[in-house]
Amino acid sequence: MKSVARGPGGRPSADAGEELDRNIMEAATKAFLTDGYAATSVDMIARTVGCSKPTIYRRYPSKEDLFKAVVHNRCSRLFEVARDAEFSPQEPLTALKELFAQFLDFCLEPETLEAYRILITDARRMPSVADSLSTEIMQPFYERIEVLLRRTLGWPDTEQNHARLEVISRCLPGFVLHWPMHQALVGLDPLRDAGERRRHFLICWEMIEKMIQQTDAPMRISGDP
C-alpha cells in the first residue's frame, strides 16, 4: 500500500482519509468472505491495508462493528434498489416485479451468499449484526414492498391494512428466493444459467401476481370485528 498523505497534526488529509476508509473496507470484505469471521483478525486487516490497528479501531470499535459495516456496505445496493422502486414512475406492480427480480439476483451473488453463511455460522458471536441487518436494511426493504402492494391493491393506509400487508410483504419474496437460496447454501447452483434463473423467476412471479390479483380486499382474520 502506498503511503497516506498527511494533513495538519499528522492525520490523513480528507482525500487520503476517504481512500484509507475504502482500503479498510475492501480488505475487510475480502478477508471476512474468504476466511470467515472467526479466522479473520483486525491485525490481519491492518497489515493488508498498511495501517495500525488503532487506526481501524478509531473507525470501528470492534471486529463485530467492522463486519457489520461490511454487511451494510454489501447490502447498500439492495436498499437503493428498493428505494428506487418505491419512487419509480412505473405501475406499482411492474416496479414490484423488477424489485423482486433484482432481489433474486442480489441474493444469489457469491459475496451475498458467503456473507449470509457467516451470519448463520457465527450469529451467536455477533448478535448486533443480525439485529442491525434486520432493522436497518431488511425492514426498510419490506416497507417498500408494502408501499408497492398497497398502491397495487388500492387499499387505504389504515392500521388494519398495514397489519395485513406487513405479513404479506415478508412472505412474498420467499416464493422467489427460498428454493434457490437453500440450494446455493448447500453447495448447489441450479440457477447458474441466466436463462434458467429467468424461467424460475417468471414462474414464481406468475404465481405471485395471481395471488395479488385475487387479494382485492383486506383479508379477514378470525377474531377480527
Side-chain angles (χ1 to χ4, degrees):
M1 292 273 179
K2 62 183 180 181
S3 60
V4 177
R6 300 286 171 177
R11 290 188 176 276
S13 65
D15 289 345
E18 291 178 3
E19 182 179 2
L20 178 58
D21 289 337
R22 286 194 298 271
N23 289 340
I24 291 172
M25 186 54 53
E26 289 174 4
T29 299
K30 182 176 181 180
F32 282 127
L33 299 189
T34 301
D35 301 322
Y37 183 82
T40 298
S41 68
V42 174
D43 185 62
M44 177 194 309
I45 295 168
R47 288 199 304 270
T48 300
V49 175
C51 68
S52 66
K53 287 172 63 177
T55 295
I56 296 179
Y57 281 128
R58 278 196 295 269
R59 290 163 168 78
Y60 310 101
S62 67
K63 185 172 79 167
E64 184 174 341
D65 288 313
L66 180 55
F67 182 69
K68 185 191 300 184
V70 167
V71 171
H72 276 242
N73 185 62
R74 176 69 196 155
C75 293
S76 61
R77 180 163 58 85
L78 177 63
F79 182 80
E80 290 170 2
V81 167
R83 182 189 58 202
D84 291 344
E86 180 180 353
F87 297 104
S88 171
Q90 298 174 313
E91 290 294 323
L93 189 60
T94 300
L96 187 64
K97 180 180 180 180
E98 292 190 3
L99 174 59
F100 278 19
Q102 293 188 63
F103 180 58
L104 175 64
D105 288 341
F106 170 80
C107 289
L108 293 183
E109 290 176 358
E111 295 84 359
T112 304
L113 288 168
E114 192 55 43
Y116 189 57
R117 284 192 186 96
I118 293 172
L119 282 170
I120 293 174
T121 302
D122 294 294
R124 284 184 290 183
R125 298 175 186 265
M126 43 182 181
S128 71
V129 177
D131 289 343
S132 175
L133 178 64
S134 175
T135 59
E136 298 176 26
I137 297 175
M138 294 312 300
Q139 183 59 30
F141 177 76
Y142 292 134
E143 287 172 357
R144 279 157 172 77
I145 293 176
E146 182 181 332
V147 168
L148 293 171
L149 281 171
R150 187 168 62 247
R151 291 174 183 169
T152 297
L153 295 167
W155 290 3
D157 188 7
T158 66
E159 183 175 349
Q160 184 183 50
N161 289 345
H162 168 68
R164 306 304 192 264
L165 290 173
E166 185 177 30
V167 174
I168 295 171
S169 68
R170 292 173 180 272
C171 292
L172 286 185
F175 284 99
V176 174
L177 189 63
H178 176 75
W179 179 76
M181 188 82 163
H182 178 269
Q183 294 292 294
L185 287 173
V186 297
L188 303 176
D189 192 5
L191 300 182
R192 182 186 296 110
D193 178 76
E196 286 295 324
R197 183 177 298 189
R198 183 65 178 168
R199 280 189 288 274
H200 166 83
F201 173 76
L202 290 176
I203 291 170
C204 292
W205 178 255
E206 182 180 7
M207 178 177 63
I208 291 172
E209 191 172 23
K210 287 180 179 178
M211 292 172 61
I212 292 174
Q213 289 170 348
Q214 292 170 3
T215 310
D216 58 358
M219 178 175 58
R220 296 184 65 81
I221 297 177
S222 177
D224 281 353

